[in-house]
Amino acid sequence: KGRDYKKISFVKLFEPLNCLIGTGLYVDDIDNQIQAELLQVVSRIRFGREGYVFINRFNGDALVSNGRIFSGKKKLWEEFDKDPVKMRAIFDKEYKAAITPDGDYIYYSHIKLTTPDIESPKASFIFGIPELQWLVGAGVYLDDAEADIEVMLTELKGEIKKKILYSSIVTLLVLLVFLYIFRLLRGKIANDTEMLSSFFKQAALSNEPINRDLVHFEELDRMAESANMMLEDKKQAKKQLEMFKAFADSSNQGMGWADRNGSIEYGNPALVALLEEESLNAIIGKNVGSEYYPEEEQKRINNTIFPTVASSGHWSGELQLRTATGNLIPTHNSLFLIRDETSGEQYYANIVSDITELKIAEKDKANLARKLQVAQKMESIGLIAGGVAHDLNNILSGITGYPELILGDLPKDSKLRSFVEAIGQSGRRAAAIVDDLLTVARGAAYARKIHDLNSLVQNYLESPEFKKLKSLHPGVSCNYLFEAANGGVLCSPVQVQKTLMNLVTNGFEAVGDNGTVTITTSNQQVDTESAASLEMIAGSYVVLEVQDNGPGISEMDLEHIFEPFYTKKTMGKSGTGLGLTVVWNTMVDHDGKVSVKSGETGSCFKLFFPLTTSGTQSLKEKDSEGIISGDNQHILVIDDEPQLREIGCQMLRKLGYRVDSVDSGEAAIEFIRDQPVDLMLIDMLMEPGINGRETYMEALKLYPGQRAVIASGFSKSDDVTAMLEAGAAKFVKKPYSLELLSRAIGEALRG
């Protein structure tokens, strides 16, 4: 109960009874059966006098050895208990060879099948099968191999002599046959050459191709092929002329031509549609200049464009075209002078395209350039912020970590408690600002799950931060409407609630002592047209809207509000200048979009989150609280910062764990190779050397299922995601508290 197993079934519709009849097998049963049968087969394989195949598991369990099948419940060195130390050393060689991508050879001494009490030198090839966790090997005893080689050399010498004699006889026979065939073909070549010559004469005088079936030789057949190609080119010339009209008719660009007087003689369907005429007959015979261009353009056509085409053969440029319904359309035109080789008449051919959208794009060019400049500015600031934030987090780990350790040892009535608590609180406030810097750098690593947006808003409205905001602005009313029937979004709840807090705080401060802030959630289907105007992808979204009735944002400020450190508040007192930048980057990180409208009646911010239809977290879901103590489990702390290693070790020892620490990923792998640990606390960024992700992947090779907790304040999200998918249990963000660390470690160890 509660477990599912993969199954493969064959189902057939039995039509007379309208029934579905099926039968199937469970995949794991077949896997076990196949493996058992495979071990039976392998155990019986023999080659030479002493050759056999052996199989062991990666963890040392013996499966097949010396022609025997073992239960797989004992290690190799336990099954051969006469010298377990030696057998363990042989297995270590086998394992190293097995994890080599293409396998490897090993050399050792071992007993034979027929003489189990005597050891002989042996060479074996080992190959690993990770899917089965098997290492498979087969080898030869060197003394047997030397005897076999001597016999084989004797046999080889005799075989070589036989083959030399056989090759000489065959070569002589082939030479005689070749001379006979050459005499037969010499006459045929002369006949075929004369026949091909007559075919060439016939091809030059008619349209009948050469019959290549009558040509027997490849070289002459190629000549016949060339002659037929020339005939085909002649046929294609006429066909291409016929296809030109079909090509022009299918083009999405307007194409047509007029005589020297400007009278239209042909137009393709695209040109008819561009001129907004009903059919081709409606434009035939009309004067292109007087009918379809304004007076100013007619003067350009008659006085400048036509003379230019007549002298140079070509003109291209823009013209305002007037359609049959009177609409003016900007167009790009390419005029050519073409000549009828038969009659000598000249015509003006024109390829015309509607460039209305291009003109619109040109108008937006300045706006796009400004947006690019802002984006580059934000990227530069983000890079700086990311580097600063990473260093600050390392510093803040000491400012927030040591006070916790000190408070645990101070008496409750100590005068120093208030000072130490103030240091810790200041560190946590600084860490919150660092979080904002990391969001600007778009390098903060937050775990993402599917949450209900209504729940996240409700949690914020019940939070101490919102209650404090209300106490500072008692005259402001806050209304909320949960209109999103389906509010599932894949998000970091920490980032979403911080974004909501920034917008609500700005709204409260904007309305002053008497105003209203309204929070609304809703579902919205964004169509293609609306998505284009908002510069986002069309689809289903959950929208979080924060609206106030304050004085609004000026048009000049509206262009810069999302830029880092652009603020009208008093820096350091009512803001850091990062609030709306955090909002912008959070939405970018969540593949969403933020839009803002502001006027005299107030400002409205809309956050568009892509809708996720999978299951969501419950409304009141919160992490369990309280400190989880350890039970002397062994934990390895991996961090390149000495102070952070010391803090982590002190906290873990205080929680009841047995702790060791190393300063690099390479050192961690060497440590666990000799001494396995219950859990690894791994820093993501370590220099120089391998990072946290690479360290964990190497650890998994040694110990599949190795438990780990990630600790970092700045990391690429794909590295964190890869580690979590590979089996890492938790992620804790630096600087971490004693309680947060205890819960992460405790939950990871409990699975």
Side-chain angles (χ1 to χ4, degrees):
K1 180 179 179 181
R3 298 182 64 188
D4 293 331
Y5 296 86
K6 292 183 179 179
K7 187 174 183 181
I8 299 176
S9 296
F10 179 81
V11 182
K12 179 73 174 180
L13 173 63
F14 187 61
E15 294 182 352
L17 296 182
N18 194 26
C19 291
L20 293 175
I21 303 175
T23 183
L25 297 170
Y26 289 94
V27 175
D28 54 351
D29 292 341
I30 299 304
D31 285 344
N32 293 335
Q33 179 182 341
I34 291 174
Q35 290 184 27
E37 293 176 356
L38 182 58
L39 292 176
Q40 287 286 348
V41 172
V42 171
S43 68
R44 295 193 294 268
I45 295 176
R46 299 290 185 273
F47 48 92
R49 287 170 294 178
E50 301 289 344
Y52 58 91
V53 177
F54 56 90
I55 299 176
N56 300 311
R57 289 198 177 99
F58 280 2
N59 62 3
D61 294 340
L63 298 178
V64 176
S65 185
N66 283 70
R68 295 164 53 199
I69 297 178
F70 297 97
S71 64
K73 297 181 179 179
K74 288 186 178 181
K75 305 298 182 184
L76 181 64
W77 48 91
E78 293 174 349
E79 295 287 358
F80 294 84
D81 57 0
K82 290 184 178 180
D83 195 350
V85 175
K86 180 177 179 180
M87 291 306 299
R88 178 60 188 263
I90 293 175
F91 172 77
D92 289 341
K93 290 182 179 181
E94 293 176 354
Y95 179 77
K96 290 181 180 179
I99 63 175
T100 303
D102 296 321
D104 204 353
Y105 290 93
I106 64 171
Y107 299 88
Y108 57 99
S109 295
H110 196 57
I111 60 176
K112 293 185 177 183
L113 287 174
T114 57
T115 55
D117 296 325
I118 301 175
E119 290 187 351
S120 298
K122 186 176 182 181
S124 294
F125 182 81
I126 309 297
F127 188 84
I129 306 176
E131 294 82 1
L132 299 178
Q133 290 289 295
W134 284 6
L135 58 84
V136 183
V140 296
Y141 291 91
L142 300 185
D143 51 359
D144 293 339
E146 290 172 356
D148 292 339
I149 290 172
E150 187 64 31
V151 173
M152 292 169 63
L153 285 174
T154 302
E155 294 176 351
L156 180 62
K157 291 178 181 178
E159 191 68 22
I160 290 174
K161 292 178 180 179
K162 292 179 181 178
K163 291 197 174 186
I164 291 175
L165 179 60
Y166 174 79
S167 299
S168 300
I169 295 173
V170 170
T171 301
L172 179 60
L173 292 175
V174 169
L175 181 60
L176 294 174
V177 171
F178 176 79
L179 292 174
Y180 174 76
I181 294 174
F182 178 78
R183 293 187 63 183
L184 292 178
L185 293 179
R186 184 175 61 180
K188 289 186 177 181
I189 292 174
N191 294 334
D192 286 351
T193 303
E194 182 179 355
M195 178 184 63
L196 190 62
S197 176
S198 65
F199 281 154
F200 273 120
K201 294 178 181 179
Q202 179 183 354
L205 299 174
S206 69
N207 289 329
E208 292 297 325
I210 298 174
N211 187 352
R212 294 172 59 190
D213 292 336
L214 300 178
V215 181
H216 298 90
F217 298 98
E218 181 180 356
E219 292 78 4
L220 299 178
D221 182 63
R222 291 177 183 174
M223 297 175 64
E225 180 182 11
S226 299
N228 287 343
M229 289 175 61
M230 288 187 291
L231 290 177
E232 188 63 26
D233 290 342
K234 181 179 177 181
K235 296 177 183 178
Q236 288 295 327
K238 182 179 180 181
K239 182 178 179 180
Q240 289 173 359
L241 291 175
E242 295 173 348
M243 291 178 63
F244 172 77
K245 185 177 181 297
F247 164 75
D249 288 349
S250 63
S251 174
N252 59 2
Q253 288 185 304
M255 301 175 64
W257 61 76
D259 61 20
R260 291 296 299 271
N261 297 320
S263 180
I264 299 175
E265 293 195 357
Y266 169 76
N268 68 346
L271 181 62
V272 175
L274 182 64
L275 297 176
E276 297 184 348
E277 293 281 11
E278 295 182 356
S279 64
L280 175 60
N281 292 332
I283 68 172
I284 296 297
K286 290 184 178 179
N287 185 277
V288 63
S290 60
E291 290 287 343
Y292 297 110
Y293 291 96
E295 184 177 352
E296 296 78 8
E297 300 289 45
Q298 292 180 34
K299 293 179 181 178
R300 287 183 61 204
I301 292 172
N302 295 326
N303 299 333
T304 304
I305 297 175
F306 277 175
T308 300
V309 176
S311 60
S312 65
H314 175 258
W315 176 89
S316 64
E318 296 181 11
L319 287 170
Q320 284 286 335
L321 183 143
R322 182 179 60 204
T323 69
T325 60
N327 292 325
L328 289 178
I329 300 175
T331 61
H332 182 272
N333 300 259
S334 293
L335 271 71
F336 302 89
L337 187 66
I338 57 176
R339 182 188 299 274
D340 186 340
E341 297 296 338
T342 303
S343 64
E345 292 290 332
Q346 293 182 337
Y347 299 89
Y348 294 109
N350 188 17
I351 300 175
V352 56
S353 303
D354 184 350
I355 58 172
T356 302
E357 294 183 0
L358 179 62
K359 287 296 184 182
I360 295 174
E362 288 179 351
K363 291 180 181 179
D364 295 337
K365 186 176 181 180
N367 185 40
L368 292 174
R370 185 189 64 80
K371 288 183 179 180
L372 177 60
Q373 184 179 11
V374 172
Q376 292 172 339
K377 177 181 177 182
M378 292 183 70
E379 182 181 3
S380 300
I381 294 176
L383 291 173
I384 297 172
V388 172
H390 178 254
D391 294 337
L392 285 177
N393 260 336
N394 289 335
I395 297 171
L396 290 173
S397 294
I399 298 176
T400 60
Y402 282 124
E404 276 201 288
L405 295 172
I406 294 172
L407 288 171
D409 297 331
L410 279 178
K412 293 185 178 180
D413 58 351
S414 174
K415 296 180 180 180
L416 297 176
R417 289 190 70 88
S418 60
F419 300 116
V420 177
E421 289 173 349
I423 293 172
Q425 184 178 6
S426 297
R428 289 189 292 274
R429 290 175 60 189
I433 297 175
V434 172
D435 279 345
D436 290 343
L437 286 171
L438 286 174
T439 304
V440 171
R442 296 182 63 193
Y446 290 98
R448 296 187 184 181
K449 294 182 179 179
I450 300 172
H451 290 267
D452 181 71
L453 190 61
N454 295 329
S455 302
L456 296 179
V457 175
Q458 185 68 43
N459 287 343
Y460 168 70
L461 295 174
E462 297 173 0
S463 67
E465 292 83 2
F466 180 71
K467 293 176 181 178
K468 181 179 179 181
L469 181 65
K470 285 282 292 181
S471 67
L472 296 175
H473 303 273
V476 179
S477 299
C478 184
N479 302 324
Y480 52 90
L481 299 171
F482 295 132
E483 298 179 350
N486 188 348
V489 294
L490 179 63
C491 67
S492 160
V494 175
Q495 287 183 294
V496 172
Q497 291 185 340
K498 180 176 288 188
T499 295
L500 176 60
M501 181 182 69
N502 288 338
L503 293 178
V504 173
T505 301
N506 287 349
F508 269 64
E509 294 178 352
V511 300
D513 296 331
N514 187 13
T516 301
V517 174
T518 302
I519 305 171
T520 306
T521 66
S522 62
N523 290 109
Q524 184 171 334
Q525 185 69 29
V526 180
D527 57 26
T528 303
E529 183 177 354
S530 300
S533 64
L534 293 172
E535 298 180 355
M536 58 191 292
I537 299 173
S540 299
Y541 289 85
V542 185
V543 181
L544 174 60
E545 183 176 335
V546 179
Q547 186 170 3
D548 65 68
N549 60 355
I553 306 171
S554 70
E555 185 175 350
M556 180 181 68
D557 291 333
L558 201 59
E559 296 181 357
H560 304 282
I561 59 173
F562 295 111
E563 297 177 16
F565 308 113
Y566 185 88
T567 180
K568 293 298 182 180
K569 300 179 182 181
T570 303
M571 291 288 286
K573 182 177 180 181
S574 60
T576 62
L578 294 175
L580 289 179
T581 307
V582 169
V583 173
W584 176 273
N585 283 336
T586 296
M587 296 311 297
V588 173
D589 287 341
H590 287 75
D591 298 323
K593 185 68 179 180
V594 54
S595 69
V596 56
K597 292 183 179 180
S598 186
E600 296 179 356
T601 58
S603 302
C604 179
F605 287 81
K606 285 187 176 182
L607 309 182
F608 293 81
F609 292 91
L611 173 65
T612 302
T613 57
S614 302
T616 59
Q617 305 294 317
S618 63
L619 180 66
K620 296 294 184 181
E621 179 184 14
K622 293 184 178 178
D623 292 336
S624 60
E625 297 182 356
I627 291 178
I628 301 175
S629 298
D631 189 20
N632 201 37
Q633 293 95 333
H634 193 184
I635 297 178
L636 179 64
V637 178
I638 309 162
D639 201 308
D640 60 340
E641 290 287 339
Q643 187 182 69
L644 301 185
R645 290 199 306 276
E646 176 63 22
I647 292 172
C649 291
Q650 291 287 352
M651 286 185 173
L652 291 170
R653 292 190 182 104
K654 195 175 187 68
L655 292 170
Y657 295 104
R658 182 162 46 96
V659 187
D660 282 295
S661 65
V662 293
D663 60 359
S664 68
E666 291 84 354
I669 299 304
E670 290 301 318
F671 185 95
I672 66 173
R673 192 187 304 276
D674 299 326
Q675 186 176 357
V677 296
D678 295 304
L679 184 139
M680 303 168 72
L681 180 62
I682 307 176
D683 181 28
M684 282 301 298
L685 296 179
M686 295 182 287
E687 294 182 354
I690 60 177
N691 63 19
R693 174 183 176 180
E694 294 166 330
T695 301
Y696 185 54
M697 295 307 178
E698 289 297 320
L700 289 177
K701 294 179 181 178
L702 294 175
Y703 305 105
Q706 173 67 55
R707 293 176 177 175
V709 170
I710 311 164
S712 180
F714 182 72
S715 175
K716 296 298 183 184
S717 60
D718 55 353
D719 281 340
V720 174
T721 301
M723 285 188 66
L724 292 173
E725 290 177 350
K730 292 287 182 180
F731 170 82
V732 291
K733 188 176 180 304
K734 293 181 181 179
Y736 44 73
S737 65
L738 182 66
E739 179 180 340
L740 178 62
L741 182 62
S742 76
R743 293 207 307 271
I745 298 295
E747 292 172 5
L749 289 173
R750 290 184 305 191

